[in-house]
PDB file of all heavy atoms in Angstrom:
ATOM      1  N   PRO A   2      11.881  10.141  11.337  1.00  0.00           N
ATOM      2  CA  PRO A   2      10.451   9.982  11.591  1.00  0.00           C
ATOM      3  C   PRO A   2       9.711   9.642  10.298  1.00  0.00           C
ATOM      4  O   PRO A   2       9.969  10.245   9.241  1.00  0.00           O
ATOM      5  CB  PRO A   2      10.032  11.347  12.143  1.00  0.00           C
ATOM      6  CG  PRO A   2      11.280  11.875  12.796  1.00  0.00           C
ATOM      7  CD  PRO A   2      12.408  11.398  11.913  1.00  0.00           C
ATOM      8  N   PRO A   3       8.748   8.684  10.354  1.00  0.00           N
ATOM      9  CA  PRO A   3       8.133   8.164   9.134  1.00  0.00           C
ATOM     10  C   PRO A   3       6.790   8.762   8.758  1.00  0.00           C
ATOM     11  O   PRO A   3       6.112   8.240   7.881  1.00  0.00           O
ATOM     12  CB  PRO A   3       7.950   6.697   9.490  1.00  0.00           C
ATOM     13  CG  PRO A   3       7.572   6.735  10.951  1.00  0.00           C
ATOM     14  CD  PRO A   3       8.387   7.871  11.541  1.00  0.00           C
ATOM     15  N   GLY A   4       6.393   9.842   9.420  1.00  0.00           N
ATOM     16  CA  GLY A   4       5.010  10.283   9.250  1.00  0.00           C
ATOM     17  C   GLY A   4       4.138   9.572  10.263  1.00  0.00           C
ATOM     18  O   GLY A   4       4.587   9.184  11.349  1.00  0.00           O
ATOM     19  N   ASP A   5       2.886   9.352   9.925  1.00  0.00           N
ATOM     20  CA  ASP A   5       1.940   8.692  10.837  1.00  0.00           C
ATOM     21  C   ASP A   5       1.995   7.180  10.617  1.00  0.00           C
ATOM     22  O   ASP A   5       1.231   6.624   9.827  1.00  0.00           O
ATOM     23  CB  ASP A   5       0.528   9.229  10.600  1.00  0.00           C
ATOM     24  CG  ASP A   5      -0.448   8.787  11.680  1.00  0.00           C
ATOM     25  OD1 ASP A   5      -0.145   7.816  12.409  1.00  0.00           O
ATOM     26  OD2 ASP A   5      -1.511   9.410  11.801  1.00  0.00           O
ATOM     27  N   TRP A   6       2.901   6.524  11.314  1.00  0.00           N
ATOM     28  CA  TRP A   6       3.109   5.079  11.144  1.00  0.00           C
ATOM     29  C   TRP A   6       1.844   4.297  11.483  1.00  0.00           C
ATOM     30  O   TRP A   6       1.469   3.356  10.770  1.00  0.00           O
ATOM     31  CB  TRP A   6       4.266   4.641  12.024  1.00  0.00           C
ATOM     32  CG  TRP A   6       4.700   3.220  11.856  1.00  0.00           C
ATOM     33  CD1 TRP A   6       4.262   2.136  12.555  1.00  0.00           C
ATOM     34  CD2 TRP A   6       5.661   2.718  10.913  1.00  0.00           C
ATOM     35  NE1 TRP A   6       4.892   0.986  12.112  1.00  0.00           N
ATOM     36  CE2 TRP A   6       5.756   1.326  11.114  1.00  0.00           C
ATOM     37  CE3 TRP A   6       6.449   3.311   9.934  1.00  0.00           C
ATOM     38  CZ2 TRP A   6       6.609   0.519  10.365  1.00  0.00           C
ATOM     39  CZ3 TRP A   6       7.312   2.511   9.188  1.00  0.00           C
ATOM     40  CH2 TRP A   6       7.376   1.132   9.406  1.00  0.00           C
ATOM     41  N   ALA A   7       1.173   4.674  12.560  1.00  0.00           N
ATOM     42  CA  ALA A   7      -0.027   3.946  12.986  1.00  0.00           C
ATOM     43  C   ALA A   7      -1.132   4.020  11.940  1.00  0.00           C
ATOM     44  O   ALA A   7      -1.949   3.102  11.823  1.00  0.00           O
ATOM     45  CB  ALA A   7      -0.525   4.500  14.322  1.00  0.00           C
ATOM     46  N   ALA A   8      -1.142   5.086  11.162  1.00  0.00           N
ATOM     47  CA  ALA A   8      -2.150   5.249  10.113  1.00  0.00           C
ATOM     48  C   ALA A   8      -1.723   4.614   8.798  1.00  0.00           C
ATOM     49  O   ALA A   8      -2.451   4.704   7.807  1.00  0.00           O
ATOM     50  CB  ALA A   8      -2.447   6.728   9.900  1.00  0.00           C
ATOM     51  N   GLY A   9      -0.536   4.001   8.778  1.00  0.00           N
ATOM     52  CA  GLY A   9      -0.087   3.304   7.585  1.00  0.00           C
ATOM     53  C   GLY A   9       0.969   4.018   6.768  1.00  0.00           C
ATOM     54  O   GLY A   9       1.410   3.488   5.744  1.00  0.00           O
ATOM     55  N   GLU A  10       1.370   5.202   7.197  1.00  0.00           N
ATOM     56  CA  GLU A  10       2.424   5.893   6.451  1.00  0.00           C
ATOM     57  C   GLU A  10       3.768   5.213   6.682  1.00  0.00           C
ATOM     58  O   GLU A  10       4.053   4.707   7.781  1.00  0.00           O
ATOM     59  CB  GLU A  10       2.490   7.366   6.858  1.00  0.00           C
ATOM     60  CG  GLU A  10       1.269   8.142   6.402  1.00  0.00           C
ATOM     61  CD  GLU A  10       1.425   9.641   6.563  1.00  0.00           C
ATOM     62  OE1 GLU A  10       2.085  10.071   7.518  1.00  0.00           O
ATOM     63  OE2 GLU A  10       0.862  10.366   5.719  1.00  0.00           O
ATOM     64  N   ARG A  11       4.597   5.238   5.639  1.00  0.00           N
ATOM     65  CA  ARG A  11       5.892   4.561   5.686  1.00  0.00           C
ATOM     66  C   ARG A  11       6.993   5.490   5.171  1.00  0.00           C
ATOM     67  O   ARG A  11       7.776   5.153   4.322  1.00  0.00           O
ATOM     68  CB  ARG A  11       5.839   3.253   4.875  1.00  0.00           C
ATOM     69  CG  ARG A  11       4.890   2.196   5.447  1.00  0.00           C
ATOM     70  CD  ARG A  11       5.356   1.746   6.819  1.00  0.00           C
ATOM     71  NE  ARG A  11       4.521   0.718   7.417  1.00  0.00           N
ATOM     72  CZ  ARG A  11       3.557   0.949   8.322  1.00  0.00           C
ATOM     73  NH1 ARG A  11       3.291   2.205   8.684  1.00  0.00           N
ATOM     74  NH2 ARG A  11       2.873  -0.051   8.855  1.00  0.00           N
ATOM     75  N   GLY A  12       7.029   6.666   5.739  1.00  0.00           N
ATOM     76  CA  GLY A  12       7.962   7.683   5.314  1.00  0.00           C
ATOM     77  C   GLY A  12       7.260   8.763   4.519  1.00  0.00           C
ATOM     78  O   GLY A  12       6.142   8.564   4.003  1.00  0.00           O
ATOM     79  N   ILE A  13       7.920   9.926   4.404  1.00  0.00           N
ATOM     80  CA  ILE A  13       7.298  11.062   3.715  1.00  0.00           C
ATOM     81  C   ILE A  13       8.239  11.727   2.716  1.00  0.00           C
ATOM     82  O   ILE A  13       7.871  12.722   2.095  1.00  0.00           O
ATOM     83  CB  ILE A  13       6.790  12.112   4.725  1.00  0.00           C
ATOM     84  CG1 ILE A  13       7.945  12.627   5.605  1.00  0.00           C
ATOM     85  CG2 ILE A  13       5.673  11.533   5.579  1.00  0.00           C
ATOM     86  CD1 ILE A  13       7.532  13.760   6.552  1.00  0.00           C
ATOM     87  N   ALA A  14       9.425  11.178   2.517  1.00  0.00           N
ATOM     88  CA  ALA A  14      10.440  11.858   1.709  1.00  0.00           C
ATOM     89  C   ALA A  14      10.038  12.014   0.250  1.00  0.00           C
ATOM     90  O   ALA A  14      10.527  12.919  -0.426  1.00  0.00           O
ATOM     91  CB  ALA A  14      11.775  11.122   1.802  1.00  0.00           C
ATOM     92  N   ALA A  15       9.176  11.136  -0.253  1.00  0.00           N
ATOM     93  CA  ALA A  15       8.762  11.220  -1.660  1.00  0.00           C
ATOM     94  C   ALA A  15       7.343  11.757  -1.822  1.00  0.00           C
ATOM     95  O   ALA A  15       6.777  11.673  -2.917  1.00  0.00           O
ATOM     96  CB  ALA A  15       8.867   9.841  -2.317  1.00  0.00           C
ATOM     97  N   LEU A  16       6.786  12.331  -0.771  1.00  0.00           N
ATOM     98  CA  LEU A  16       5.387  12.765  -0.810  1.00  0.00           C
ATOM     99  C   LEU A  16       5.294  14.271  -1.024  1.00  0.00           C
ATOM    100  O   LEU A  16       5.598  15.061  -0.108  1.00  0.00           O
ATOM    101  CB  LEU A  16       4.682  12.383   0.495  1.00  0.00           C
ATOM    102  CG  LEU A  16       4.743  10.898   0.903  1.00  0.00           C
ATOM    103  CD1 LEU A  16       3.865  10.664   2.129  1.00  0.00           C
ATOM    104  CD2 LEU A  16       4.334   9.987  -0.251  1.00  0.00           C
ATOM    105  N   PRO A  17       4.869  14.718  -2.204  1.00  0.00           N
ATOM    106  CA  PRO A  17       4.683  16.154  -2.432  1.00  0.00           C
ATOM    107  C   PRO A  17       3.696  16.743  -1.424  1.00  0.00           C
ATOM    108  O   PRO A  17       2.700  16.119  -1.057  1.00  0.00           O
ATOM    109  CB  PRO A  17       4.108  16.206  -3.855  1.00  0.00           C
ATOM    110  CG  PRO A  17       4.583  14.937  -4.506  1.00  0.00           C
ATOM    111  CD  PRO A  17       4.572  13.919  -3.409  1.00  0.00           C
ATOM    112  N   GLY A  18       4.002  17.945  -0.958  1.00  0.00           N
ATOM    113  CA  GLY A  18       3.148  18.611   0.006  1.00  0.00           C
ATOM    114  C   GLY A  18       3.535  18.390   1.453  1.00  0.00           C
ATOM    115  O   GLY A  18       2.972  19.015   2.348  1.00  0.00           O
ATOM    116  N   ARG A  19       4.518  17.503   1.676  1.00  0.00           N
ATOM    117  CA  ARG A  19       4.944  17.213   3.058  1.00  0.00           C
ATOM    118  C   ARG A  19       6.339  17.776   3.350  1.00  0.00           C
ATOM    119  O   ARG A  19       6.994  17.353   4.301  1.00  0.00           O
ATOM    120  CB  ARG A  19       4.931  15.695   3.288  1.00  0.00           C
ATOM    121  CG  ARG A  19       3.615  15.004   2.980  1.00  0.00           C
ATOM    122  CD  ARG A  19       2.529  15.355   3.987  1.00  0.00           C
ATOM    123  NE  ARG A  19       2.781  14.750   5.280  1.00  0.00           N
ATOM    124  CZ  ARG A  19       2.436  13.485   5.598  1.00  0.00           C
ATOM    125  NH1 ARG A  19       1.847  12.703   4.699  1.00  0.00           N
ATOM    126  NH2 ARG A  19       2.681  13.021   6.803  1.00  0.00           N
ATOM    127  N   GLU A  20       6.757  18.730   2.550  1.00  0.00           N
ATOM    128  CA  GLU A  20       8.127  19.228   2.654  1.00  0.00           C
ATOM    129  C   GLU A  20       8.434  19.872   4.002  1.00  0.00           C
ATOM    130  O   GLU A  20       9.525  19.658   4.563  1.00  0.00           O
ATOM    131  CB  GLU A  20       8.420  20.222   1.518  1.00  0.00           C
ATOM    132  CG  GLU A  20       8.507  19.583   0.138  1.00  0.00           C
ATOM    133  CD  GLU A  20       7.143  19.417  -0.541  1.00  0.00           C
ATOM    134  OE1 GLU A  20       6.117  19.771   0.084  1.00  0.00           O
ATOM    135  OE2 GLU A  20       7.130  18.949  -1.699  1.00  0.00           O
ATOM    136  N   GLU A  21       7.521  20.649   4.528  1.00  0.00           N
ATOM    137  CA  GLU A  21       7.775  21.303   5.820  1.00  0.00           C
ATOM    138  C   GLU A  21       7.897  20.258   6.927  1.00  0.00           C
ATOM    139  O   GLU A  21       8.771  20.355   7.798  1.00  0.00           O
ATOM    140  CB  GLU A  21       6.660  22.301   6.135  1.00  0.00           C
ATOM    141  CG  GLU A  21       6.700  23.562   5.295  1.00  0.00           C
ATOM    142  CD  GLU A  21       7.970  24.377   5.541  1.00  0.00           C
ATOM    143  OE1 GLU A  21       8.463  24.394   6.691  1.00  0.00           O
ATOM    144  OE2 GLU A  21       8.471  24.984   4.574  1.00  0.00           O
ATOM    145  N   GLU A  22       7.020  19.286   6.900  1.00  0.00           N
ATOM    146  CA  GLU A  22       7.083  18.213   7.900  1.00  0.00           C
ATOM    147  C   GLU A  22       8.396  17.441   7.765  1.00  0.00           C
ATOM    148  O   GLU A  22       9.009  17.053   8.766  1.00  0.00           O
ATOM    149  CB  GLU A  22       5.895  17.270   7.719  1.00  0.00           C
ATOM    150  CG  GLU A  22       5.830  16.158   8.742  1.00  0.00           C
ATOM    151  CD  GLU A  22       4.644  15.233   8.518  1.00  0.00           C
ATOM    152  OE1 GLU A  22       3.761  15.579   7.714  1.00  0.00           O
ATOM    153  OE2 GLU A  22       4.614  14.155   9.142  1.00  0.00           O
ATOM    154  N   PHE A  23       8.835  17.237   6.528  1.00  0.00           N
ATOM    155  CA  PHE A  23      10.085  16.522   6.329  1.00  0.00           C
ATOM    156  C   PHE A  23      11.257  17.314   6.897  1.00  0.00           C
ATOM    157  O   PHE A  23      12.135  16.745   7.568  1.00  0.00           O
ATOM    158  CB  PHE A  23      10.309  16.227   4.844  1.00  0.00           C
ATOM    159  CG  PHE A  23      11.600  15.514   4.588  1.00  0.00           C
ATOM    160  CD1 PHE A  23      11.733  14.165   4.897  1.00  0.00           C
ATOM    161  CD2 PHE A  23      12.688  16.195   4.075  1.00  0.00           C
ATOM    162  CE1 PHE A  23      12.933  13.507   4.697  1.00  0.00           C
ATOM    163  CE2 PHE A  23      13.896  15.541   3.859  1.00  0.00           C
ATOM    164  CZ  PHE A  23      14.022  14.195   4.173  1.00  0.00           C
ATOM    165  N   ARG A  24      11.286  18.603   6.654  1.00  0.00           N
ATOM    166  CA  ARG A  24      12.364  19.425   7.197  1.00  0.00           C
ATOM    167  C   ARG A  24      12.392  19.341   8.720  1.00  0.00           C
ATOM    168  O   ARG A  24      13.460  19.239   9.337  1.00  0.00           O
ATOM    169  CB  ARG A  24      12.208  20.884   6.751  1.00  0.00           C
ATOM    170  CG  ARG A  24      12.746  21.140   5.350  1.00  0.00           C
ATOM    171  CD  ARG A  24      12.816  22.628   5.056  1.00  0.00           C
ATOM    172  NE  ARG A  24      11.511  23.182   4.761  1.00  0.00           N
ATOM    173  CZ  ARG A  24      10.969  23.196   3.541  1.00  0.00           C
ATOM    174  NH1 ARG A  24      11.613  22.673   2.516  1.00  0.00           N
ATOM    175  NH2 ARG A  24       9.779  23.726   3.343  1.00  0.00           N
ATOM    176  N   ALA A  25      11.220  19.384   9.331  1.00  0.00           N
ATOM    177  CA  ALA A  25      11.154  19.292  10.792  1.00  0.00           C
ATOM    178  C   ALA A  25      11.630  17.927  11.280  1.00  0.00           C
ATOM    179  O   ALA A  25      12.247  17.816  12.347  1.00  0.00           O
ATOM    180  CB  ALA A  25       9.725  19.563  11.264  1.00  0.00           C
ATOM    181  N   SER A  26      11.362  16.893  10.498  1.00  0.00           N
ATOM    182  CA  SER A  26      11.761  15.541  10.917  1.00  0.00           C
ATOM    183  C   SER A  26      13.278  15.400  10.976  1.00  0.00           C
ATOM    184  O   SER A  26      13.806  14.628  11.802  1.00  0.00           O
ATOM    185  CB  SER A  26      11.166  14.494   9.971  1.00  0.00           C
ATOM    186  OG  SER A  26      11.884  14.393   8.747  1.00  0.00           O
ATOM    187  N   ILE A  27      13.992  16.112  10.128  1.00  0.00           N
ATOM    188  CA  ILE A  27      15.457  16.085  10.162  1.00  0.00           C
ATOM    189  C   ILE A  27      15.950  16.625  11.499  1.00  0.00           C
ATOM    190  O   ILE A  27      16.835  16.037  12.142  1.00  0.00           O
ATOM    191  CB  ILE A  27      16.045  16.897   8.999  1.00  0.00           C
ATOM    192  CG1 ILE A  27      15.664  16.277   7.656  1.00  0.00           C
ATOM    193  CG2 ILE A  27      17.560  17.010   9.136  1.00  0.00           C
ATOM    194  CD1 ILE A  27      16.049  17.138   6.453  1.00  0.00           C
ATOM    195  N   GLU A  28      15.365  17.731  11.940  1.00  0.00           N
ATOM    196  CA  GLU A  28      15.791  18.331  13.202  1.00  0.00           C
ATOM    197  C   GLU A  28      15.430  17.434  14.382  1.00  0.00           C
ATOM    198  O   GLU A  28      16.193  17.327  15.353  1.00  0.00           O
ATOM    199  CB  GLU A  28      15.161  19.716  13.366  1.00  0.00           C
ATOM    200  CG  GLU A  28      15.502  20.684  12.239  1.00  0.00           C
ATOM    201  CD  GLU A  28      16.997  20.785  11.987  1.00  0.00           C
ATOM    202  OE1 GLU A  28      17.767  20.948  12.965  1.00  0.00           O
ATOM    203  OE2 GLU A  28      17.405  20.714  10.804  1.00  0.00           O
ATOM    204  N   THR A  29      14.281  16.773  14.310  1.00  0.00           N
ATOM    205  CA  THR A  29      13.905  15.823  15.355  1.00  0.00           C
ATOM    206  C   THR A  29      14.935  14.699  15.458  1.00  0.00           C
ATOM    207  O   THR A  29      15.390  14.336  16.548  1.00  0.00           O
ATOM    208  CB  THR A  29      12.519  15.229  15.068  1.00  0.00           C
ATOM    209  OG1 THR A  29      11.546  16.275  15.083  1.00  0.00           O
ATOM    210  CG2 THR A  29      12.143  14.178  16.101  1.00  0.00           C
ATOM    211  N   ALA A  30      15.311  14.169  14.309  1.00  0.00           N
ATOM    212  CA  ALA A  30      16.287  13.069  14.302  1.00  0.00           C
ATOM    213  C   ALA A  30      17.636  13.514  14.838  1.00  0.00           C
ATOM    214  O   ALA A  30      18.333  12.751  15.517  1.00  0.00           O
ATOM    215  CB  ALA A  30      16.437  12.522  12.887  1.00  0.00           C
ATOM    216  N   LEU A  31      18.027  14.754  14.557  1.00  0.00           N
ATOM    217  CA  LEU A  31      19.339  15.231  14.991  1.00  0.00           C
ATOM    218  C   LEU A  31      19.491  15.239  16.510  1.00  0.00           C
ATOM    219  O   LEU A  31      20.598  15.027  17.031  1.00  0.00           O
ATOM    220  CB  LEU A  31      19.604  16.623  14.429  1.00  0.00           C
ATOM    221  CG  LEU A  31      20.107  16.667  12.989  1.00  0.00           C
ATOM    222  CD1 LEU A  31      20.130  18.102  12.472  1.00  0.00           C
ATOM    223  CD2 LEU A  31      21.507  16.050  12.888  1.00  0.00           C
ATOM    224  N   ALA A  32      18.406  15.447  17.227  1.00  0.00           N
ATOM    225  CA  ALA A  32      18.488  15.392  18.695  1.00  0.00           C
ATOM    226  C   ALA A  32      18.919  14.007  19.156  1.00  0.00           C
ATOM    227  O   ALA A  32      19.706  13.868  20.107  1.00  0.00           O
ATOM    228  CB  ALA A  32      17.146  15.768  19.312  1.00  0.00           C
ATOM    229  N   TYR A  33      18.444  12.969  18.474  1.00  0.00           N
ATOM    230  CA  TYR A  33      18.811  11.588  18.817  1.00  0.00           C
ATOM    231  C   TYR A  33      20.198  11.234  18.273  1.00  0.00           C
ATOM    232  O   TYR A  33      20.916  10.431  18.874  1.00  0.00           O
ATOM    233  CB  TYR A  33      17.751  10.630  18.295  1.00  0.00           C
ATOM    234  CG  TYR A  33      16.433  10.786  18.999  1.00  0.00           C
ATOM    235  CD1 TYR A  33      15.508  11.764  18.599  1.00  0.00           C
ATOM    236  CD2 TYR A  33      16.101   9.980  20.082  1.00  0.00           C
ATOM    237  CE1 TYR A  33      14.312  11.931  19.262  1.00  0.00           C
ATOM    238  CE2 TYR A  33      14.890  10.137  20.749  1.00  0.00           C
ATOM    239  CZ  TYR A  33      14.010  11.117  20.331  1.00  0.00           C
ATOM    240  OH  TYR A  33      12.811  11.281  21.000  1.00  0.00           O
TER     241      TYR A  33
END
């Protein structure tokens, strides 16, 4: 998951402060 793509975000892996969201995105991807 890339963050808010519609708002212009293009990933969050290098964004300080988004660590919890990034961890959750890993689990989301694992379902797929």
Side-chain angles (χ1 to χ4, degrees):
D5 191 342
W6 186 268
E10 291 191 326
R11 295 296 181 262
I13 59 175
L16 305 186
R19 305 290 289 276
E20 290 85 358
E21 287 297 326
E22 183 181 348
F23 179 75
R24 278 191 283 273
S26 78
I27 296 172
E28 302 308 312
T29 298
L31 278 171
Y33 293 84

